[in-house]
Amino acid sequence: MRNPLRLAEGRTLVEQLRLLLGNVGSSVVPTILVALLLVWVLSNESNATGLRVWAGMVILSKLWCAREARRMLAMEIPPDRARGLVWQQMSLNAVDGAIWGALGWAALGTTTMAGSVLVVAVLAGVAGSSMSSLAPVLPVFIVFGSTELAVLAAKLWTLDDPAYNALGVAGFLYVVTLLGQARNSAKAALAAIKLRFENVELIERLRVETGHAQAAHQQAEQANLAKSKFLAAASHDLRQPIHAQGLFLEVLARSKLTASQYDALANARATWQASAEMLDTLLDFSRIEAGVVEPQMQVFPLQPLLNKIENELAPQADAKGIVYRSRETHVAVRSDPALVALILRNLVSNAIRYTERGGVLVACRERGGRAVIEVWDTGIGIDASQHEDIFREFHQLGNAERDRRKGLGLGLAIAQGLARALGTTLVLASRPGRGSCFRLALPTAQMGVVSSGVEVIPGHSSVFDVRVLVIDDDDAIRAGMRQLLTAWGCECDVADSIEEALALARLRPPGLVISDYRLRELRTGAEAIAALRAEFGLQLPALLITGDTAPQRLREARASGVPLLHKPVSPNQLYHGLVCVLNDVELDSSFAMLEATPDAGLKRA
């Protein structure tokens, strides 16, 4: 702690000075009252004039000190002027202390012993009061107290009376005691001022750091938004040619080909399927981010769904030489079977991908009214420090080279997002080198007469007897749709704009409209369908197809209320979409069947 007898520097001294000056104003009225009271009590014929002069000097001195204090408090005190102002205060208080000490010269020896005791008591009280008000700048109090004591002691010495000498010694001891207390008060004031400055600096640092953190958070949000926009734009632009490619491959498959051409076609379709699956994964993630996944809750038994997943994925385990096993369960749950199937498919696929020895086990336990589905594996395991990171998008373990055969790193992010949409969460337990266990808890329910929701998709044996109007601004997609729909028995008109579609519809009224969502000039397929329905009736069947994965676009498309498919649309999906809209069947319920197939993603609008 800095010695309070030494003046502080800079802003600390300024604050000490302002604290001292702030105490001056409160002592003006008490000083005037005490001075007038002493004149009234102690005055007699021999000392009346002296006491009046003394009282006037005390009042003038105090008023002057108060005026100077108010003036200095009203201005900004520069740190380089603080020392000079301290010396000024020392001078003013030296004069004030001398005037107070002069009370002894005006009253002692001319009044009674009781009056003399009163004089000494008042001077002691003034010294004590000054200690509390002047202690913030200790040298100022020392000057005041020393001057008051010196002037009083000089008078007591001239009286040459043992009693007065004793009063002088007592006064000296009292002032020494006050000096000790003043020193402690000065230390406390100095510490409080420094602490306040430290707090101010801390608050300022926190403000700056908060600003930096907010700026970093804003940058992170902007980067995340830019990432989402990039993924949406890239996904849309990739979906257009892949969607057209799938249409042409389907048309080509219906042609007469040689054996080698069929082999080449099979390879081309496999490549198309792999590309479509990766784009579907991106779409699933975008749909979760957009918040447009709405669970369709129903009661269903778990075992058929577990059997379906085992039939689909067990061949992958067999190919790696590991065991795939699922325990039988008779539990029924209330949830969305399509979303549960997609979560489990992601978990089982991951388990197979990261297991080289041993196997994968899928089991279900009933605990407290909930069915806990567990996916166990004997794979590489996951370190505890990675338990949160693996649920982040594009985070993969052991795939620094980004091998596309190991996926995109979105499976667990999608699974966790879907679990949250179902009102639950995924729980992970894992040990490096020993394997992992993912748990999904679902509410149990009593089975009634319900559909399993995992049926076999019928073949395209029937043809359509309907005129279809296709609206798309991509030439290749229009050509592919015309050929495929014609092969299905449809009469097909194609248009690249809303105006052309209306013109064709007036010539040949359509029985079904299929429109791309994003058209030229920032117009949408929802607008096109609304315009056609305004002219041909609200019951005109319609289907939207989009390659957009931007969250805002997905929400807009969903708000249109028109059934929605996502590019690249497989011929299977398009066929069943047509069946649903032409028969006024809810598209979501039909697509629950498609979502249970290995190559399907989230198809909810």
Side-chain angles (χ1 to χ4, degrees):
M1 176 67 69
R2 184 185 180 91
N3 186 348
L5 289 173
R6 295 175 58 188
L7 290 178
E9 299 292 340
R11 60 178 185 171
T12 302
L13 181 57
V14 170
E15 289 303 312
Q16 287 178 285
L17 190 58
R18 295 183 73 85
L19 187 59
L20 179 147
L21 295 172
N23 294 330
V24 175
S26 61
S27 63
V28 173
V29 173
T31 296
I32 294 174
L33 293 177
V34 168
L36 294 177
L37 180 63
L38 289 174
V39 171
W40 180 61
V41 172
L42 299 177
S43 289
N44 54 46
E45 294 180 356
S46 60
N47 64 14
T49 302
L51 283 173
R52 291 190 183 98
V53 172
W54 169 83
M57 293 176 64
V58 165
I59 293 171
L60 286 175
S61 173
K62 182 55 67 176
L63 290 174
W64 180 263
C65 289
R67 176 181 174 277
E68 286 297 299
R70 183 179 300 174
R71 182 180 65 83
M72 285 188 280
L73 286 173
M75 68 179 187
E76 187 72 27
I77 301 176
D80 57 352
R81 285 195 57 198
R83 284 180 172 272
L85 293 176
V86 170
W87 283 103
Q88 178 184 334
Q89 287 298 306
M90 291 172 66
S91 301
L92 289 174
N93 281 276
V95 172
D96 195 40
I99 293 173
W100 275 105
L103 176 62
W105 291 84
L108 293 180
T110 62
T111 186
T112 63
M113 180 56 68
S116 298
V117 172
L118 176 62
V119 168
V120 174
V122 167
L123 293 178
V126 169
S129 174
S130 298
M131 185 273 293
S132 61
S133 62
L134 301 178
V137 185
L138 186 58
V140 175
F141 170 70
I142 292 174
V143 167
F144 176 87
S146 299
T147 305
E148 182 192 51
L149 177 63
V151 174
L152 176 62
K155 176 61 180 177
L156 293 174
W157 183 264
T158 62
L159 294 177
D160 195 22
D161 186 320
Y164 286 117
N165 291 339
L167 283 175
V169 172
F172 173 77
L173 294 176
Y174 176 69
V175 170
V176 170
T177 302
L178 286 181
L179 285 175
Q181 294 178 358
R183 186 172 185 274
N184 293 335
S185 296
K187 284 183 177 181
L190 186 61
I193 290 170
K194 289 185 174 180
L195 180 60
R196 183 162 69 85
F197 281 139
E198 290 174 0
N199 289 338
V200 169
E201 291 173 356
L202 178 59
I203 291 172
E204 179 61 21
R205 286 200 300 271
L206 287 174
R207 187 188 66 79
V208 172
E209 292 299 325
T210 301
H212 290 162
Q214 289 175 343
H217 179 68
Q218 186 175 8
Q219 289 176 355
E221 285 186 337
Q222 290 174 347
N224 189 55
L225 180 61
K227 175 209 71 178
S228 297
K229 287 182 177 179
F230 170 77
L231 285 176
S235 176
H236 176 272
D237 293 343
L238 287 171
R239 285 172 185 275
Q240 293 290 93
I242 292 176
H243 175 57
Q245 181 188 25
L247 299 176
F248 287 125
L249 288 174
E250 179 65 19
V251 172
L252 186 60
R254 295 172 175 272
S255 305
K256 292 182 178 180
L257 303 174
T258 65
S260 60
Q261 288 172 333
Y262 272 117
D263 289 341
L265 176 61
N267 290 331
R269 295 182 82 171
T271 303
W272 177 87
Q273 185 65 47
S275 301
E277 286 177 1
M278 286 194 292
L279 289 174
D280 279 343
T281 302
L282 287 173
L283 172 64
D284 292 345
F285 180 70
S286 296
R287 292 173 63 74
I288 292 169
E289 279 196 328
V292 297
V293 177
E294 289 188 359
Q296 307 297 313
M297 297 299 191
Q298 58 182 277
V299 177
F300 63 96
L302 276 177
Q303 191 57 48
L305 187 147
L306 299 183
N307 291 341
K308 178 73 174 178
I309 293 175
E310 182 174 358
N311 291 336
E312 294 169 5
L313 300 180
Q316 297 180 21
D318 294 340
K320 295 187 69 173
I322 60 177
V323 176
Y324 183 110
R325 188 161 62 93
S326 58
R327 289 180 180 167
E328 290 287 329
T329 180
H330 299 290
V331 174
V333 297
R334 178 173 179 78
S335 191
D336 185 315
L339 301 189
V340 173
L342 189 52
I343 292 171
L344 294 180
R345 189 176 295 108
N346 277 318
L347 296 180
V348 174
S349 295
N350 262 12
I352 294 173
R353 180 177 297 125
Y354 291 105
T355 301
E356 300 298 332
R357 297 187 307 275
V360 175
L361 170 66
V362 181
C364 179
R365 306 170 188 266
E366 288 190 75
R367 293 179 180 173
R370 298 180 74 79
V372 181
I373 307 172
E374 301 175 337
V375 178
W376 295 80
D377 68 65
T378 57
I380 61 175
I382 304 167
D383 189 81
S385 63
Q386 295 280 331
H387 282 195
E388 291 186 9
D389 291 339
I390 63 167
F391 291 103
R392 289 191 292 105
E393 60 270 23
F394 304 108
H395 184 87
Q396 287 182 299
L397 299 177
N399 191 17
E401 69 280 8
R402 305 303 298 178
D403 183 351
R404 70 173 180 85
R405 292 172 298 179
K406 296 182 180 180
L408 297 174
L410 287 173
L412 290 178
I414 291 171
Q416 185 69 286
L418 293 176
R420 284 195 294 267
L422 292 173
T424 183
T425 187
L426 286 178
V427 178
L428 167 64
S430 184
R431 291 178 61 186
R434 300 291 298 276
S436 305
C437 175
F438 288 87
R439 294 183 174 92
L440 175 70
L442 300 172
T444 58
Q446 295 297 319
M447 279 296 298
V449 179
V450 296
S451 170
S452 67
V454 281
E455 303 173 12
V456 179
I457 303 171
H460 304 165
S461 57
S462 61
V463 295
F464 299 100
D465 182 16
V466 64
R467 177 174 292 279
V468 181
L469 174 58
V470 176
I471 310 171
D472 199 300
D473 55 11
D474 188 288
D475 295 337
I477 291 177
R478 290 199 304 273
M481 289 287 281
R482 185 198 292 271
Q483 292 185 39
L484 182 59
L485 290 170
T486 301
W488 287 348
C490 302
E491 295 181 32
C492 187
D493 292 320
V494 297
D496 68 353
S497 67
I498 297 178
E499 289 72 22
E500 185 180 357
L502 286 169
L504 286 172
R506 291 179 186 125
L507 291 175
R508 295 182 293 276
L512 170 68
V513 179
I514 302 175
S515 178
D516 187 24
Y517 183 74
R518 186 196 293 186
L519 301 175
R520 291 194 181 101
E521 299 177 354
L522 300 179
R523 306 184 74 179
T524 68
E527 294 177 46
I529 292 170
L532 289 164
R533 283 179 170 175
E535 193 157 336
F536 296 97
L538 297 177
Q539 302 306 315
L540 176 63
L543 192 62
L544 276 175
I545 298 179
T546 183
D548 270 303
T549 57
Q552 182 60 31
R553 289 279 191 170
L554 291 174
R555 285 189 285 267
E556 291 172 1
R558 180 176 179 273
S560 71
V562 180
L564 182 68
L565 297 178
H566 295 273
K567 297 178 183 177
V569 178
S570 71
N572 243 16
Q573 294 165 346
L574 181 60
Y575 184 92
H576 282 278
L578 266 61
V579 170
C580 289
V581 296
L582 289 173
N583 292 281
D584 197 20
V585 175
E586 178 68 33
L587 187 60
D588 284 344
S589 62
S590 173
F591 267 69
M593 297 185 296
L594 291 179
E595 287 163 355
T597 62
D599 59 340
L602 290 178
K603 300 300 183 290
R604 293 275 164 81

